[in-house]
Each structure stands twice: as structure tokens, then as C-alpha cells.
């Protein structure tokens, strides 16, 4: 059995979920977890959650992190670790990647932030350990699912030139009331950021940066109607990976009908400028509640012609509700984000990966059938 010392940076909802999953499924990988955060109270609260949640003894150590650089406690913990799982805000990703590089650790993060991802890619392209970037739910799981569908299309229809690849994810609630038809189930600043930073899409074989929220449409998934819209970051490296092979490729965020019109109305009163994301976050927080009861909707499709010229489409969807791990329930956004991150920890320990590893480079069959992903997504 593989053994690993794993440093989880960030004791929030995703960090504690990853720690619980790694601790509970000890038959997959025997993990000693070092949980780091800048808040002592957050560390103790998360440790209690993990210890109470694990159905057997959990090997959890807490590490009080510094706001910048590192301290003696961090240095001591990182010197013992094989893997860093970065659950901090995306702005911190280059800093944590540098610590992984300095301590000869594997590294994986969740952020959809493009500039920070590019910075890490440049820093780690010749590293001796693996740096798996953008590997949560979206970006992350959704991209590997799309790659799996692309490979399936090639195998079934003998054509690798596609008309389209679409990826859609929504972290929503079972109930939604007017006027916003939404409730926060994850980071408000993350929502504001993806609504205002440009989306990367492929249109007629050309990669373009287009304004977020500029492509609202309706879609029915498993018989239920949703709205989707362009948002930033979710496409990961797929536009570059499939250059010249897919005519149109995009990522969109799913919401209940009516939400995006409400956001459009808000944005009319928020002036352009560098503070716009913060103002949108503050405005939404004043009007939208945080809730624990959530759903995650995942949808991907590929479309093209078979070798006889007939138009074909392959699509797959998931609807994930809160689920029990050990003795605790994890919200859907926690389990669907943390499970891919844990899967990458296992794969990095078991495979001879070095340098930057992007979503298009990960074998979809190995990932989808992995024990952590299977436990959440039911593959």
C-alpha cells in the first residue's frame, strides 16, 4: 500500500473535506495529514470535524501557517511531506508552488486563476516532482470528463475532428427564490471573479478571450431546465490542447433560470475598474444567503460527424447531492471538489510524473475509475 505525508494548505470547507476523505479511505492510501491555516481556531475546528468524522483513528497534525513566506512550523512539516494540496485562494498558488518546489514535494491546486497558473507553469516546467494544476471540480473533473468523451468519440466514430466540445458545471441549491434565484454554496469571491474575468473559448477554430456572462442560453439536463453562461477559468488547458481539432469549445456555469438576468441588472450599477470584483462580491453578499443544502450539476458533450458523415453526439451528466464520508456529511461542492484533488495525490505518488501536468495530459480512464473519484461520482 502507498504511504504518503500530505500537507493540505487551507482548513476551509474543501481542505477539511480532502483531509476527511484521505483519512477515511486509508485502504486506498495510508495518509498522514498535516493541515495548515493562518487561523488557529479554523485549524482546531477542522481537526475536530475530521477526527469525529473518521470511522477509525485519523493521523492529523495542525500547522499554523504565516500569511507570507513560511515559518518554522511550516518548514518542519513540509520537510516531512510528499505532497502539497493547495486549497488556499488562487492568489496564493504561486507561493505554495514555490514551497513545494523548494521542499521537493508534489503539488496540486484548485484555482481557476489563469495568470497564477501560467506563473506556476513557467516555474515548474523542469521540476523533479509533479505539479498538477487546476484539478478540482471546474477546472478539473469537468475537463477530464470532456477528454474521456472525446476519446470515446474517436474510438466509436473514427474521427478526431469535432464540431464542438461543451463543459458545464453548476454549484446550486435545490430551492431558489426571486429575485436572484441563487444561494451561496461556495466562495463568494470565487463567484464574483468568474463572473467578471474573461472566459477563454474556441470559436471557429480560433481561441478567443471573451467577456464573462456574454453567452446566456437555456439547457435541459436530466429533464430539468437550467441557464448557462460563459465564466472564466473552467476550460483549463483544453483550448490549447485541442487546437485545430475542435471547431467550438467552451465552458459555462449552470444556474437556475432568472439568476443571470439579476446579475446583469446588478452590473449595470457597478462601474468598471479594478475594484469591480470586490464591489460585486459585497453587493451579492448583502442580498444572497449562504446555505448548506446544495447540489452539483455536471454536464459535458462532444459533437461531430462519424466516418459516414452522420452527425453524432456523446454527452454525460451527473447530479451530486451531499453525501456521507465516515460519520460526517459533506456538501456536494466539498466532495466533488476534494475527491479529484485527493485522486491526484494518489496518482502523483504512484506515477512517475515530473514538471507541470495539465488536465488534458491526465489519462481519463485511470482518473475516472480511481477510488476517490468513484466514491463520489459513482463511476
Amino acid at each position: 500500500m502507498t504511504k504518503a505525508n500530505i500537507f493540505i494548505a487551507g482548513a476551509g470547507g474543501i481542505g477539511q473535506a480532502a483531509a476527511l476523505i484521505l483519512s477515511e479511505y486509508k485502504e486506498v492510501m495510508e495518509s498522514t495529514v498535516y493541515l495548515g491555516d493562518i487561523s488557529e481556531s479554523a485549524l482546531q475546528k477542522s481537526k475536530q470535524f475530521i477526527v469525529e468524522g473518521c470511522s477509525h483513528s485519523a493521523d492529523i497534525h495542525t500547522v499554523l501557517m504565516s500569511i507570507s513566506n513560511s515559518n518554522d512550523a511550516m518548514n518542519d512539516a513540509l520537510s516531512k511531506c510528499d505532497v502539497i494540496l493547495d486549497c488556499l485562494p488562487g492568489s496564493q498558488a504561486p507561493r505554495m508552488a514555490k514551497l513545494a518546489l523548494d521542499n521537493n514535494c508534489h503539488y496540486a491546486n484548485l484555482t481557476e486563476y489563469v495568470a497564477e497558473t501560467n506563473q506556476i507553469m513557467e516555474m515548474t516546467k523542469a521540476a523533479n516532482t509533479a505539479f498538477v494544476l487546476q484539478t478540482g471540480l471546474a477546472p478539473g473533473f469537468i475537463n477530464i470528463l470532456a477528454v474521456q468523451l472525446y476519446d470515446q468519440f474517436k474510438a466509436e466514430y473514427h474521427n478526431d475532428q469535432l464540431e464542438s466540445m461543451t463543459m458545464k458545471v453548476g454549484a446550486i441549491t435545490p430551492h431558489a427564490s426571486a429575485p436572484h434565484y441563487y444561494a451561496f454554496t461556495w466562495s463568494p469571491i470565487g463567484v464574483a471573479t468568474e463572473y467578471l474575468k474573461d472566459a477563454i473559448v474556441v470559436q471557429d477554430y480560433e481561441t478567443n478571450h471573451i467577456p464573462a456572462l456574454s453567452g446566456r442560453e437555456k439547457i435541459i439536463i436530466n429533464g430539468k431546465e437550467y441557464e448557462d453562461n460563459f465564466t472564466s477559468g473552467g476550460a483549463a488547458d483544453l483550448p490549447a490542447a485541442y487546437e485545430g481539432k475542435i471547431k467550438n469549445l467552451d465552458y459555462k456555469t449552470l444556474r437556475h433560470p432568472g439568476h443571470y438576468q439579476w446579475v446583469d441588472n446588478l452590473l449595470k450599477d457597478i462601474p468598471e475598474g479594478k475594484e469591480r470584483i470586490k464591489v460585486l462580491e459585497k453587493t451579492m453578499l448583502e442580498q444572497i444567503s449562504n446555505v448548506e443544502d446544495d447540489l452539483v450539476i455536471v454536464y459535458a458533450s462532444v459533437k461531430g460527424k462519424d466516418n459516414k458523415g452522420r452527425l453524432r453526439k456523446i454527452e454525460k451528466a451527473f447530479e451530486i447531492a451531499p453525501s456521507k464520508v465516515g460519520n460526517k456529511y459533506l456538501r456536494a461542492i466539498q466532495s466533488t471538489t476534494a475527491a479529484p484533488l485527493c485522486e491526484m495525490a494518489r496518482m502523483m505518488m504512484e506515477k512517475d510524473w515530473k514538471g507541470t501536468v495539465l488536465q488534458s495530459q491526465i489519462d481519463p480512464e485511470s482518473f475516472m475509475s480511481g477510488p476517490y473519484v468513484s466514491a463520489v461520482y459513482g463511476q
Side-chain angles (χ1 to χ4, degrees):
M1 179 191 296
T2 302
K3 295 183 178 181
N5 293 336
I6 299 177
F7 188 97
I8 298 177
I14 305 304
Q16 69 177 212
L20 178 57
I21 290 170
L22 289 168
S23 300
E24 178 64 21
Y25 299 125
K26 67 176 183 178
E27 71 279 5
V28 175
M29 183 168 64
E30 191 174 328
S31 302
T32 297
V33 173
Y34 294 81
L35 185 63
D37 201 278
I38 61 171
S39 167
E40 183 65 43
S41 61
L43 285 173
Q44 295 311 313
K45 182 179 178 181
S46 291
K47 182 176 181 178
Q48 182 179 356
F49 176 89
I50 296 156
V51 170
E52 291 177 353
C54 195
S55 62
H56 49 80
S57 61
D59 195 357
I60 302 289
H61 306 264
T62 59
V63 181
L64 189 63
M65 298 175 63
S66 60
I67 295 176
S68 61
N69 300 319
S70 60
N71 55 31
D72 290 343
M74 287 178 64
N75 291 335
D76 180 61
L78 290 173
S79 70
K80 302 171 184 175
C81 285
D82 306 293
V83 178
I84 295 176
L85 300 181
D86 184 359
C87 302
L88 296 175
S91 60
Q92 294 293 307
R95 170 197 169 203
M96 294 310 300
K98 180 64 164 56
L99 286 172
L101 199 62
D102 291 344
N103 287 275
N104 202 38
C105 295
H106 297 298
Y107 170 88
N109 70 21
L110 303 169
T111 183
E112 73 276 15
Y113 288 14
V114 175
E116 287 78 0
T117 297
N118 291 339
Q119 187 177 341
I120 296 172
M121 287 173 60
E122 183 63 28
M123 183 195 312
T124 62
K125 57 186 177 183
N128 290 319
T129 51
F131 287 75
V132 184
L133 307 183
Q134 301 188 313
T135 190
L137 168 59
F141 178 89
I142 184 60
N143 311 114
I144 301 174
L145 174 61
V147 171
Q148 184 184 48
L149 297 185
Y150 178 86
D151 291 347
Q152 181 182 343
F153 194 99
K154 283 197 305 180
E156 290 185 12
Y157 300 124
H158 309 289
N159 185 11
D160 65 355
Q161 301 291 313
L162 268 61
E163 291 288 322
S164 67
M165 173 186 283
T166 62
M167 298 165 280
K168 307 177 193 294
V169 173
I172 58 173
T173 52
H175 319 291
S177 8
H180 43 68
Y181 300 100
Y182 186 64
F184 284 119
T185 66
W186 69 290
S187 162
I189 188 63
V191 175
T193 299
E194 72 173 4
Y195 282 2
L196 288 177
K197 287 196 173 182
D198 284 354
I200 300 175
V201 303
V202 177
Q203 298 171 322
D204 199 17
Y205 296 108
E206 290 190 3
T207 299
N208 295 315
H209 290 246
I210 64 171
L213 307 187
S214 62
R216 180 171 15 135
E217 294 179 318
K218 290 183 179 180
I219 183 172
I220 294 174
I221 301 172
N222 291 331
K224 299 176 184 177
E225 183 179 294
Y226 302 96
E227 286 181 350
D228 62 31
N229 217 331
F230 295 128
T231 52
S232 68
D237 71 313
L238 269 57
Y242 290 105
E243 184 177 0
K245 292 186 175 181
I246 299 178
K247 184 176 181 180
N248 300 295
L249 182 155
D250 60 59
Y251 170 83
K252 289 184 169 184
T253 293
L254 296 165
R255 293 288 185 252
H256 289 298
H259 173 71
Y260 283 124
Q261 182 59 59
W262 179 80
V263 175
D264 286 346
N265 291 339
L266 278 189
L267 290 174
K268 291 176 183 176
D269 296 325
I270 301 176
E272 299 285 347
K274 63 181 181 179
E275 297 298 314
R276 203 175 193 216
I277 291 175
K278 291 182 179 179
V279 174
L280 176 60
E281 178 197 17
K282 181 177 182 294
T283 305
M284 289 193 296
L285 279 170
E286 290 171 350
Q287 302 184 49
I288 299 176
S289 304
N290 285 268
V291 300
E292 296 297 315
D293 191 13
D294 66 338
L295 292 171
V296 167
I297 311 299
V298 178
Y299 171 89
S301 72
V302 292
K303 183 173 69 175
K305 293 183 178 179
D306 63 19
N307 55 354
K308 296 182 180 178
R310 183 172 180 180
L311 195 62
R312 302 281 187 175
K313 188 175 189 179
I314 300 176
E315 52 194 344
K316 192 164 187 178
F318 298 84
E319 181 177 309
I320 309 294
S323 58
K324 197 173 185 181
V325 175
N327 303 317
K328 294 286 188 179
Y329 276 92
L330 295 179
R331 288 179 293 130
I333 189 62
Q334 286 180 287
S335 61
T336 54
T337 304
L341 191 64
C342 294
E343 203 66 70
M344 286 308 164
R346 179 190 67 83
M347 295 178 79
M348 287 188 292
M349 289 298 298
E350 295 180 0
K351 299 180 182 293
D352 187 28
W353 290 349
K354 293 182 180 180
T356 305
V357 181
L358 303 175
Q359 298 306 302
S360 66
Q361 300 167 327
I362 295 162
D363 174 42
E365 298 305 322
S366 297
F367 174 82
M368 291 291 183
S369 62
Y372 298 121
V373 165
S374 297
V376 171
Y377 290 90
Q379 289 289 312

